[in-house]
């Protein structure tokens, strides 16, 4: 771990930099896969699944039978945990629904917004060593609350052509309409264009490896929307002399076990505490099953000491962490002052894993400094706001001249005329 | 104008297609300009302004003096119109502010969202024949309400090196912090990277020609966010036998005068009305100053007759118009049924120009079918939602096991450990 004490502001831009990953290297490959999936549809999808995943599938779509079998294989304790998380996530995301309020801006001029679901959405759920069924909860639940009519999952098949039972169980529980055994670039291309089997969607959500991330970015060219650009996961903890070093070390390690490129940062207002946390990290690390992955991320991590609270806050806002844990004697200062972060965890009993799984907040969050310009996924991500307006005859009388004067000043006479001929009628 | 009667659903995908424009043709040029502005900063910006706009500037930034002079040159009637529009836009966008509500999802588990401004935003205001000061209102007002601390405008200079006084006046009125005489790709590149003079921003807003649109899309590569992808402006009107053909024709023409690539569509439930509107369009067209531009758009426009209301609605949702006027005897049916549209104008006294200028709704809206997956600009566009959570000791006791079971099922033992060691402490 690298320790830095009171870094000057001139060094912050370098200190807050994440590893750069660029589309350019795989752009040619993306082009090939996208064009191929666009022209050959399901056959191309099957070929790439064979080529990239080494799986020869007969059918892309998960069958009803596979889902029914999955339901019988999940333990009662896991079912009950998933259900507890589902209830909390539903509860929190339901409060994000917005009432439509009609505003009379000028007498007779009524304006309002109404929320509409994005009709068809695609959720990408990574495969790999661990079945990320928690991501199914985080994406499918708000999609369902929003009222999206088609909720599709694409997830890479395991070597035996199956999908993790936890994913199937959770997807079914949350009302996902179709599940496909397709991963990687070909999954993103399939949801972008649609194939005879996989529906075209309007927005694609979810995490993935660098190919998936690049493919989502590439898909923007073809008119589909995405949740947000993505990079490796991140955690920043702010501590001081009274913080519990054990707790903080466990949080830093839970971030580190995501992979060698995970970003782990401790900002401490006490150098003693910083040293104590570092020792505790190495002590806990030894006992972790994924210690190989975690130790690579830990060796790249930063421990930064500030002797001034405001400087610490300014640095954190410049870094814009995905996850931000306030484990510190002045919670209020950091809660009120944090401007750029994806999700904030307050107090000693709020580990990041609470929000990763079950507290109710979403875990799909902006990384890579994108917390400066993007929100994490919420109910809003699955809806659009449509604006409406209605003018009464009086409303047009009251607003008409304003519109005419402005349209004329912009040289748009047909815009003016649309008002003038109505006003003329009203004078009759 | 092209008349189509009861088009079968199989033809809709072709009928709803907009002209395709691709980045690819100018990608090399974008790369050159972006790299050059990134490395040479202001000098590159000045060189491109000379090369593309034919203007040799000494200073990029509009001076206080220029703004003061502009204020004295605007007529009182225009000032009063702009002020009326400002009040309405402020009123409508202020109601979009959200209160933070703390939810207790499980006893002792508290979750909430707080809105935070995007700290630095860039507004692109097109130049050209007409000074689009209304776009300044539509972007700067919500930016100010959101609390963005840096609100920058880039707008191309006129041949004499000046900026339209209407733009300067409106920008100053709305609290814009800096105005730069820079347009085109070089403006977008400058706001993406920052130069010694022009600040780097986190999100870029505003309309522009195909170069600006392509540059905004290209800027995404470098970590900046944009309001939405863009295409030519669009209007769809739904009419029936009782509609006022004169009004509808004036609305279609106000869309058409934007330019030859404007998309103008009439959906009518009455063939007689369709024919009447067509005749009225040609009658009004003759009297317009911009009739040359408008007549090109009109010649590409579509008049579509449906004898079934539901089919008409389904078609409109498949088209997903930027502007949608309901000038029709069954307003409720179309208001409730519209799923995909940017902004909706209801009733005979609600011309599109009301929303373009002064009713209070935003006029920066998704075109090109993007109303299926993007909202128009609103206060939300200038903010981010940050999620917060705080667990009490009891909260962790109540939620801990759920987190442990889920983390273990995903194979993430450090995530589990962050909870377990806290729970162990609480048992002491």
């Amino acid at each position: 771990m690298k320790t830095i004490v009171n870094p000057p502001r001139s060094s912050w831009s370098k200190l807050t930099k994440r590893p750069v990953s660029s589309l350019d290297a795989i752009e040619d490959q993306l082009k090939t896969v996208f064009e191929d999936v666009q022209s050959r549809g399901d056959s191309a999808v099957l070929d790439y699944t064979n080529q990239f995943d080494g799986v020869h599938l007969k059918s892309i779509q998960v069958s009803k039978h596979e889902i029914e079998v999955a339901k019988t294989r999940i333990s009662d304790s896991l079912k009950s945990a998933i259900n507890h998380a589902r209830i909390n996530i539903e509860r929190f995301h339901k409060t994000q629904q917005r009432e439509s309020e009609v505003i009379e801006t000028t007498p007779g001029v009524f304006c309002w917004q109404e929320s509409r679901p994005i009709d068809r959405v695609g959720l990408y759920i990574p495969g790999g060593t661990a079945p990320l069924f928690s991501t199914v909860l985080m994406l499918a639940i708000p999609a369902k609350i929003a009222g999206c009519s088609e909720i599709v999952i694409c997830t890479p098949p395991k070597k035996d052509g199956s999908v993790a039972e936890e994913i199937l169980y959770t997807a079914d529980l949350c009302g996902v309409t179709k599940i496909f055994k397709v991963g990687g670039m070909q999954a993103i291309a399939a949801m972008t264009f649609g194939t005879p089997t996989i529906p075209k969607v309007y927005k694609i959500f979810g995490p993935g490896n660098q190919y998936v991330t690049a493919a989502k970015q590439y898909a923007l060219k073809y008119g589909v929307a995405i949740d947000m650009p993505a990079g490796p996961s991140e955690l920043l903890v702010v501590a001081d002399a009274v913080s519990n070093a054990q707790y903080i070390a466990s949080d830093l390690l839970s971030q580190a076990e995501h992979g060698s490129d995970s970003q782990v940062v401790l900002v401490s207002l006490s150098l003693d505490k910083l040293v104590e946390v570092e020792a505790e990290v190495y002590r806990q690390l030894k006992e972790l099953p994924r210690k190989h992955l975690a130790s690579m991320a830990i060796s790249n991590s930063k421990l930064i000491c500030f002797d001034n609270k405001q400087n610490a806050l300014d640095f954190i806002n410049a870094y814009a962490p995905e996850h931000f844990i306030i484990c510190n004697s002045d919670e209020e200062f950091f809660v009120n002052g944090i401007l750029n972060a994806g999700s904030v965890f307050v107090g000693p009993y709020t580990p990041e894993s609470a929000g990763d799984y079950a507290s109710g907040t979403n875990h799909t969050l902006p990384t890579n400094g994108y917390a400066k310009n993007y929100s994490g996924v919420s109910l809003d991500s699955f809806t659009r706001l449509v604006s409406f307006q209605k003018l009464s005859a009086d409303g047009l009388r009251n607003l008409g001249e304003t519109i005419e004067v402005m349209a004329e000043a912009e040289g748009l006479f047909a815009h003016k005329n649309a008002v003038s001929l109505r006003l003329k009628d009203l004078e009759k």
Side-chain angles (χ1 to χ4, degrees), chain A residues 49-227:
Chain A
T49 303
N50 200 350
Q51 180 184 334
F52 295 139
D53 303 320
V55 184
H56 183 72
L57 293 174
K58 276 186 193 128
S59 164
I60 301 174
Q61 187 170 354
V62 171
S63 68
K64 282 264 167 230
H65 177 70
E66 286 172 285
I67 294 169
E68 291 310 315
V69 170
K71 286 188 200 171
T72 67
R73 300 267 180 90
I74 307 295
S75 71
D76 284 347
S77 66
L78 184 55
K79 277 186 184 171
S80 144
I82 290 175
N83 207 43
H84 189 181
R86 180 185 64 76
I87 289 168
N88 284 356
I89 297 165
E90 256 179 34
R91 204 166 269 165
F92 188 58
H93 286 76
K94 272 191 180 159
T95 64
Q96 296 164 20
Q97 285 171 315
R98 301 208 244 184
E99 293 299 310
S100 171
E101 188 191 356
V102 180
I103 307 299
E104 191 170 3
T105 55
T106 283
V109 176
F110 303 92
C111 302
W112 70 101
Q113 293 183 305
E114 293 185 23
S115 176
R116 295 286 191 264
I118 297 178
D119 201 35
R120 303 162 176 198
V121 296
L123 319 181
Y124 187 88
I125 306 297
T129 45
L132 296 184
F133 58 89
S134 60
T135 301
V136 178
L137 290 167
M138 294 295 175
L139 298 176
I141 291 173
K144 196 73 191 172
I145 296 171
C148 306
S149 70
E150 183 89 274
I151 306 170
V152 165
I153 279 182
C154 281
T155 188
K158 296 197 271 190
K159 290 288 171 218
D160 65 359
S162 72
V163 169
E165 287 148 359
E166 295 87 345
I167 290 178
L168 298 185
Y169 171 77
T170 311
D172 187 66
L173 184 73
C174 300
V176 168
T177 46
K178 284 170 189 152
I179 310 170
F180 299 98
K181 301 171 179 177
V182 187
M185 298 185 274
Q186 65 271 26
I188 305 301
M191 292 192 281
T192 299
F193 301 119
T195 72
T197 308
I198 303 173
K200 173 187 167 67
V201 302
Y202 300 145
K203 190 166 182 178
I204 298 175
F205 296 78
N209 62 22
Q210 54 168 326
Y211 294 99
V212 172
T213 299
K216 279 171 66 186
Q217 202 75 26
Y218 192 78
L220 289 171
K221 275 195 182 195
Y222 296 97
V224 80
I226 64 171
D227 47 359

Side-chain angles (χ1 to χ4, degrees), chain A residues 189-405:
Chain A
M191 292 192 281
T192 299
F193 301 119
T195 72
T197 308
I198 303 173
K200 173 187 167 67
V201 302
Y202 300 145
K203 190 166 182 178
I204 298 175
F205 296 78
N209 62 22
Q210 54 168 326
Y211 294 99
V212 172
T213 299
K216 279 171 66 186
Q217 202 75 26
Y218 192 78
L220 289 171
K221 275 195 182 195
Y222 296 97
V224 80
I226 64 171
D227 47 359
M228 67 190 90
S233 190
E234 312 160 349
L235 171 67
L236 187 150
V237 182
V238 62
D240 66 6
V242 308
S243 310
N244 184 316
Q246 245 200 321
Y247 294 179
I248 291 175
S250 74
D251 292 328
L252 296 174
L253 284 167
S254 75
Q255 183 59 41
E257 77 172 334
H258 276 301
S260 57
D261 56 358
S262 258
Q263 304 293 303
V264 178
V265 182
L266 173 68
V267 169
S268 179
L269 295 165
S270 146
L271 189 56
D272 287 350
K273 186 61 64 178
L274 184 153
V275 172
E276 192 188 341
V277 170
E278 184 172 18
E280 183 64 27
V281 164
Y282 286 113
R283 203 189 61 70
Q284 290 183 23
L285 179 61
K286 280 186 244 152
E287 292 156 28
L288 287 181
R290 289 165 73 108
K291 64 180 154 229
H292 180 64
L293 275 177
S295 67
M296 283 194 286
I298 285 297
S299 69
N300 291 323
S301 65
K302 294 178 188 112
L303 308 173
I304 305 174
C305 187
F306 283 100
D307 57 17
N308 171 305
K309 210 156 58 175
Q310 186 63 48
N311 283 349
L313 176 63
D314 291 348
F315 176 82
I316 295 163
N317 277 325
Y319 184 81
E322 179 193 12
H323 303 100
F324 174 41
I325 297 186
I326 302 172
C327 193
N328 191 291
S329 55
D330 196 350
E331 295 175 0
E332 209 183 321
F333 175 79
F334 288 99
V335 166
N336 293 335
I338 185 69
L339 185 63
N340 302 321
S343 196
V344 182
F345 301 77
V346 186
Y349 299 117
T350 316
E352 192 208 300
S353 37
D356 285 343
Y357 288 111
S359 64
T361 61
N362 210 290
H363 79 194
T364 312
L365 298 166
T367 56
N368 207 15
Y370 279 114
K372 288 179 184 166
N373 36 22
Y374 290 88
S375 303
V377 164
S378 70
L379 188 63
D380 288 0
S381 314
F382 296 89
T383 62
R384 292 149 303 124
L385 286 171
V386 179
S387 46
F388 291 79
Q389 58 201 289
K390 181 168 185 168
L391 277 64
S392 65
D394 269 346
L396 191 64
R397 280 191 196 99
N398 293 331
L399 194 63
E401 194 188 335
T402 288
I403 303 169
E404 289 177 316
V405 171

